[in-house]
């Protein structure tokens, strides 16, 4: 296996990418297509590469293992749920021919939506490679309602029949709706949890007597609505503020507006939603084997190596018999996740079961993301540079356009070693939007949540993406709908509830649910 590994979380390339030239043609459009701007009249912020490089270098976390940099409000699993959601809302399943006929993605494109097309693809008919054979009828010649689940290969003392890998083709590529979800192990295991969530709902419907031909569509509706509710209320409100979704639904969206069809705003995709890069840890407690004090800590590097897209899972190309650790035909059983370490499954984990908080939402990014392998360079620089190339406005101009009552002051932006570099180049008064969002979270949210600009834009976009989906619970049932699946608090549904419902908490410890 080669030594290079993709540690560029959340931004594998798929489908179309917006360009400055394309975006500039969209000003004034009610429904711009796949991409657009929330603030099309604001002047773009132009910054030379030199200051951007210096600011990016100042954003390196000097103490990535310091507990003072942890965000106890956001368990680390949400970092990678956020990446899974990113791939869900940016998946482009239009054909090559459609892209040729509509290169600016105004007519022929898949609407950005929280609809789990990254899991379901085009359904059992259009993406039958994602589905298990129908054992109930037709002698298994057609796909059934359930999604394929892959097996792991046993290593060390981990034995048993563990279906805890993504399904894979003979050369190790994941058979999933979005290949990017196999680029690091934590998002891959998150995708796997979603596959199992759907299958568990199918089992529940079958047990209730639902006719076989109706199970898939009903299961997809149940799964998607609970996922949408969970993203809005457990994920979005956890990194913004409790009640913000209800407030937006009551008062309306002020900044993320469209006539009929949602679009992906570049202020969101290239700035606000890149908050997740500051939440990434350099080391995780993955399970009882790969944990600080165990065989080895689960470093970012290892989490990318044990995948098919970025690492050494290569199917039949692997040696037979296997020669751990890598390359491997499929995921090894000793890398099956222990979800107690990534979400608040329990009020408190038992002794020896480490818990991973995310890192604070602030301007600091772990060192490994500053030195991406190959020609990847610095992820913070790439984010800052992309904002310039896309013509994003300054954070100050966005705050002014939003009429934020108490925007960040130049003195607040100048705080810290990173702020001193921003001030040196005048960026404390005209600040790149991505950096402004992170600095606002640090100064106004204590690093635990986004500040007013970031929180409002992130929440409005997510509410708009769900509301603009004509199959969503907000469109079909309105804001009064409540989750119906089992949960710790009736009428709510969290990611921890989803994992408890699936019943696969820590397979290598024999723990299905709690």
């Amino acid at each position: 296996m080669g030594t290079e590994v993709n540690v560029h979380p959340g931004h594998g390339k798929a489908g179309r990418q917006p360009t400055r030239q394309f975006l500039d043609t969209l000003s004034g459009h009610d429904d711009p297509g796949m991409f657009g701007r929330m603030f099309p009249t604001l002047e773009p912020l132009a910054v030379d590469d030199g200051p951007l490089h210096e600011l990016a270098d100042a954003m390196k976390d000097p103490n990535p293992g310091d507990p003072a940099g942890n965000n106890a409000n956001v368990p680390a699993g949400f970092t990678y749920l956020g990446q899974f959601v990113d791939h869900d809302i940016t998946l482009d399943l239009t054909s090559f021919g459609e892209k040729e006929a509509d290169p600016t993605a105004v007519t022929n494109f898949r609407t950005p939506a929280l609809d789990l097309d990254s899991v379901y693809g085009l359904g059992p008919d259009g993406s039958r490679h994602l589905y298990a054979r129908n054992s109930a009828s037709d002698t298994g010649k057609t796909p059934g309602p359930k999604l394929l689940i892959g097996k792991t290969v046993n290593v060390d003392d981990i034995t048993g029949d563990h279906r805890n890998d993504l399904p894979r083709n003979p050369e190790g590529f994941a058979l999933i709706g979005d290949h990017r979800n196999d680029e690091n192990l934590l998002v891959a295991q998150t995708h796997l949890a979603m596959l199992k969530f759907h299958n568990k709902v199918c089992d529940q419907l079958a047990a209730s007597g639902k006719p076989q031909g109706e199970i898939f569509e009903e299961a997809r509706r149940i799964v998607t609505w609970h996922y949408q509710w969970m993203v809005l209320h457990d994920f979005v409100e956890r990194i913004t503020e409790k009640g913000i979704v209800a407030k937006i639904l009551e008062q309306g969206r002020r900044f993320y507006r469209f006539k009929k069809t949602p679009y992906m705003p570049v202020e969101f995709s290239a700035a606000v939603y890149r908050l997740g890069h500051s939440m990434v840890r350099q080391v995780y407690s993955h399970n009882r084997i790969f944990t600080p004090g165990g065989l080895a800590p689960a470093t970012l590097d290892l989490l990318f190596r044990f995948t098919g897209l970025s690492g050494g899972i290569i199917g039949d190309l692997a040696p037979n018999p296997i020669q751990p650790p890598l390359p491997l035909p499929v995921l090894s059983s000793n890398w099956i996740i222990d979800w107690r370490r990534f979400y608040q499954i329990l009020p408190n984990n038992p002794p020896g079961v480490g818990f991973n908080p995310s890192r604070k939402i602030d301007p600091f990014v772990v060192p490994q993301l500053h030195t991406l392998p190959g020609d990847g360079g610095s992820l913070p620089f790439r984010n800052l540079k992309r904002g310039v190339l896309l013509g994003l406005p300054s954070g100050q101009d966005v705050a002014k356009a939003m009429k934020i009552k108490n925007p960040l002051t130049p003195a607040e932006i100048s705080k810290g070693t990173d702020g001193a570099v921003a001030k040196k180049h005048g960026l404390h008064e005209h600040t790149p939007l991505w950096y402004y969002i992170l600095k606002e979270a640090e100064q106004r949210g204590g690093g635990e949540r986004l500040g007013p600009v970031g929180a409002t834009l992130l929440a409005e976009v997510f509410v708009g993406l769900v509301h603009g989906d004509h199959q969503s619970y907000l469109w079909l049932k309105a804001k009064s709908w409540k989750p119906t699946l089992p949960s710790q608090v009736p009428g709510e549904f969290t990611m921890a509830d989803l994992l408890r419902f699936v019943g696969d908490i820590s397979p290598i410890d024999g723990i299905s649910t709690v």
Side-chain angles (χ1 to χ4, degrees), residues 154 158 190 239 241 285 337 340 356 364 411 439 494 501:
N154 288 332
I158 310 299
T190 301
I239 57 178
E241 61 182 82
S285 174
I337 198 167
R340 298 172 297 173
N356 302 291
F364 297 104
K439 199 71 176 183
T494 66
F501 175 76

Side-chain angles (χ1 to χ4, degrees), residues 79-388:
T79 308
Y80 298 91
L81 175 63
Q83 183 183 0
F84 174 88
V85 170
D86 173 44
H87 294 170
D88 185 31
I89 61 181
T90 61
L91 177 62
D92 179 9
L93 291 177
T94 44
S95 68
F96 179 78
E98 288 176 316
K99 291 172 186 175
E100 288 289 294
D102 182 29
T104 55
V106 174
T107 304
N108 298 312
F109 70 98
R110 291 186 64 85
T111 302
L114 285 167
D115 58 4
L116 289 175
D117 55 2
S118 60
V119 168
Y120 293 113
L122 300 175
D125 291 332
S127 300
R128 59 172 51 205
H129 60 288
L130 304 180
Y131 294 83
R133 287 186 181 272
N134 190 347
S135 59
S137 61
D138 200 26
T139 63
K141 294 179 180 179
T142 60
K146 297 177 75 171
L147 291 153
L148 284 173
I149 305 291
K151 287 186 179 182
T152 56
V153 60
N154 288 332
V155 300
D156 300 330
D157 63 336
I158 310 299
T159 60
D161 183 19
H162 293 293
R163 291 188 171 271
N164 287 93
D165 190 18
L166 298 172
R168 300 185 181 278
N169 76 4
E171 294 193 354
F173 291 129
L175 297 173
I176 53 178
D178 190 324
H179 68 282
R180 295 172 295 173
N181 284 348
D182 192 29
E183 72 177 12
N184 75 67
L185 184 56
L186 294 181
V187 76
Q189 294 280 285
T190 301
H191 190 108
L192 176 67
M194 295 298 174
L195 300 179
K196 292 192 171 194
F197 181 33
H198 170 84
N199 288 356
K200 186 66 177 286
V201 173
C202 287
D203 290 339
Q204 189 180 66
L205 290 171
S208 72
K210 175 72 70 175
Q212 178 74 10
E214 299 176 14
I215 288 177
F216 173 75
E217 290 297 339
E218 179 67 3
R220 180 170 186 171
R221 181 192 64 78
I222 292 170
V223 167
T224 303
W225 284 12
H226 281 76
Y227 164 71
Q228 290 169 345
W229 201 96
M230 180 265 291
V231 169
L232 290 182
H233 294 278
D234 191 26
F235 176 60
V236 170
E237 293 199 335
R238 187 179 290 269
I239 57 178
T240 56
E241 61 182 82
K242 193 71 175 174
I244 194 171
V245 170
K247 180 180 177 182
I248 292 171
L249 289 173
E250 182 68 27
Q251 299 179 359
R253 287 174 275 109
R254 294 180 294 159
F255 310 109
Y256 179 52
R257 307 291 295 274
F258 48 85
K259 190 174 181 180
K260 292 182 180 179
T261 307
Y263 66 95
M264 180 53 58
V266 288
E267 297 93 339
F268 173 86
S269 63
V272 176
Y273 203 51
R274 298 201 174 204
L275 84 161
H277 293 159
S278 72
M279 297 166 61
V280 172
R281 302 187 64 83
Q282 192 137 301
V283 171
Y284 293 89
S285 174
H286 186 77
N287 57 25
R288 63 176 164 82
I289 300 167
F290 294 100
T291 185
L295 176 65
T299 61
L300 272 183
D301 180 71
L302 287 174
L303 291 169
F304 281 86
R305 289 185 184 278
F306 283 85
T307 68
L309 181 60
S310 305
I313 294 179
I314 56 175
D316 294 344
L317 302 179
N320 186 14
I322 62 170
Q323 299 174 17
L326 287 170
L328 290 168
V330 295
L331 183 68
S332 51
S333 58
N334 58 354
W335 273 104
I336 299 172
I337 198 167
D338 178 353
W339 286 116
R340 298 172 297 173
R341 300 169 190 263
F342 291 90
Y343 291 97
Q344 291 167 317
I345 305 292
L346 300 167
N348 294 290
N349 282 355
V353 179
F355 181 76
N356 302 291
S358 65
R359 297 297 282 174
K360 285 184 176 179
I361 306 171
D362 62 21
F364 297 104
V365 178
V366 295
Q368 189 162 354
L369 298 184
H370 285 260
T371 55
L372 301 177
D375 60 354
S378 162
L379 182 57
F381 172 75
R382 290 174 63 165
N383 287 346
L384 293 167
K385 180 66 174 177
R386 184 162 180 76
V388 172

